[in-house]
């Protein structure tokens, strides 16, 4: 085990990044060799609605550890409410539920990399961190036709090795500034109240699409957020995301917020932080 040079909480996702010269996220990932008859890329069925979050009140709901077994129901709700989200995917569950991951991309949501098997990066070698992230990049690309463009480390923990590898992979790191504690309470009212308590303009909220109560309460929550004037958008629509550099942490200053530990499953080592298997 190694001592982390620094531990910070990360949560929730996102979009294309960049190497230094460009201003939009556009990670250059290795691409498969071209074939003589390439298959055309699937066209999104729901183009992301243009929302200027510098002019209107926005909030980003982010979902970790998926695709969870209830992701299809969540996607139905998001589509019905014309809302976009950010999904931080685990490679092992993308492999188990590739259709859900593909649908996230087709319907205009952001996707990020949440490792392959959910290890603690602060207790993992740099070589293993790199392997976890690259393996997830590859399986997500195979399932969806696109690479994840942001990283959220498992359990919200990262150190200098994680920053260095994120920079190498040309990906920013997305944390959060509000939680739902859905993994801990598994209670619809508690989740609803916690999200609304933490809602703020340009907020990034941590949730999980494998928690049944989160998915069940989502229609009511989206209705209330809209009533309060929020546009529910993907992280890539929030102010400042287009200029993020590889290895940079978003939201700005979130890595210094010690209170975020109460949102993360690491606050309770007995709580599952992973998307439960359903035999698929």
């Amino acid at each position: 085990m190694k001592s982390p040079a620094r531990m910070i909480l990360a949560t929730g996702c996102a979009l294309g990044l960049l190497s230094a010269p460009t201003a939009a996220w556009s990670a250059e990932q290795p691409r498969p060799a071209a074939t003589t008859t390439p298959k055309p890329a699937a066209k999104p069925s729901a183009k992301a609605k243009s929302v200027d979050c510098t002019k209107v009140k926005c909030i980003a709901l982010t979902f970790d550890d998926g695709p969870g077994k209830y992701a299809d129901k969540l996607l139905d709700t998001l589509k019905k409410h014309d809302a976009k989200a950010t999904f931080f995917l685990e490679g092992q569950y993308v492999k188990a539920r590739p259709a859900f991951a593909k649908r996230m991309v087709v319907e205009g949501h952001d996707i990020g990399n949440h490792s392959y098997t959910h290890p603690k990066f602060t207790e993992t070698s740099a070589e293993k961190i790199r392997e976890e992230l690259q393996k997830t990049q590859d399986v997500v690309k195979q399932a969806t036709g696109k690479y994840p463009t942001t990283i959220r480390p498992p359990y919200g923990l990262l150190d200098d090795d994680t920053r260095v590898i994120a920079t190498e992979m040309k990906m920013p790191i997305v944390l959060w500034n509000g939680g739902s504690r859905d993994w801990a309470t598994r209670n619809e009212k508690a989740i609803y109240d916690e999200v609304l308590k933490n809602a703020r303009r340009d907020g990034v909220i941590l949730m999980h699409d494998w928690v049944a109560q989160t998915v069940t309460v989502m229609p009511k929550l989206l209705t209330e957020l809209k009533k309060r004037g929020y546009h529910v958008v993907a992280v890539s629509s929030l102010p400042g995301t287009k200029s993020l550099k590889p290895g940079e942490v978003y939201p700005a200053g979130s890595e210094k917020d010690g209170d975020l530990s109460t949102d993360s499953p690491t606050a309770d080592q007995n709580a599952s932080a992973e998307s439960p298997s359903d035999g698929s």
Side-chain angles (χ1 to χ4, degrees), residues 10-11 64 113-114 121 151-158 162 173-175:
T11 353
D64 281 11
N113 189 323
H114 197 51
F121 281 3
I151 293 170
R152 177 172 284 173
Y155 304 100
L157 299 174
L158 67 107
T162 308
I173 298 165
V174 176
L175 307 184

Side-chain angles (χ1 to χ4, degrees), residues 9-165:
L9 298 180
T11 353
C13 184
L15 0 63
L17 28 165
L18 276 176
S19 43
T22 0
W25 307 353
S26 59
E28 287 299 325
Q29 299 288 346
R31 302 192 178 274
T35 61
T36 51
T37 55
K39 292 175 70 175
K43 292 183 179 179
S45 63
K47 200 171 183 180
K49 184 173 68 174
S50 179
V51 176
D52 187 347
C53 293
T54 64
K55 296 179 179 178
V56 299
K57 189 175 167 185
C58 293
I59 191 168
L61 302 183
T62 67
F63 299 89
D64 281 11
D65 308 330
K69 63 171 77 175
Y70 312 115
D72 57 339
K73 297 177 183 176
L74 176 59
L75 288 166
D76 288 343
T77 298
L78 292 170
K79 187 174 184 178
K80 181 177 180 180
H81 287 258
D82 196 22
K84 299 302 178 188
T86 300
F87 294 90
F88 289 97
L89 304 174
E90 277 184 53
Q92 61 180 333
Y93 297 118
V94 174
K95 185 176 181 180
R97 307 178 184 106
F100 288 178
K102 184 174 183 178
R103 185 178 168 190
M104 289 167 184
V105 169
V106 168
E107 295 185 2
H109 303 286
D110 283 358
I111 53 171
N113 189 323
H114 197 51
S115 82
Y116 197 87
T117 60
H118 211 272
K120 291 182 180 178
F121 281 3
T122 51
E123 299 176 3
T124 303
S125 69
E127 181 181 2
K128 180 63 175 177
I129 293 171
R130 190 177 287 108
E131 178 187 323
E132 283 275 333
L133 293 173
Q134 189 58 57
K135 192 174 180 182
T136 297
Q137 291 295 97
D138 294 342
V139 74
V140 173
K141 177 63 163 63
Q142 183 177 13
T144 71
K146 291 185 178 294
Y147 289 107
T149 52
T150 56
I151 293 170
R152 177 172 284 173
Y155 304 100
L157 299 174
L158 67 107
D159 59 11
D160 285 350
D161 281 345
T162 308
R163 284 181 179 270
V164 168
I165 293 165

Side-chain angles (χ1 to χ4, degrees), residues 141-198:
K141 177 63 163 63
Q142 183 177 13
T144 71
K146 291 185 178 294
Y147 289 107
T149 52
T150 56
I151 293 170
R152 177 172 284 173
Y155 304 100
L157 299 174
L158 67 107
D159 59 11
D160 285 350
D161 281 345
T162 308
R163 284 181 179 270
V164 168
I165 293 165
T167 302
E168 287 176 3
M169 297 180 73
K170 302 181 180 178
M171 302 171 78
I173 298 165
V174 176
L175 307 184
W176 64 91
N177 50 25
S180 64
R181 291 189 58 78
D182 56 354
W183 56 273
T185 65
R186 313 291 179 95
N187 178 278
E188 290 179 35
K189 185 180 186 303
I191 295 165
Y192 178 85
D193 291 344
E194 188 74 10
V195 171
L196 293 178
K197 181 185 79 173
N198 290 312

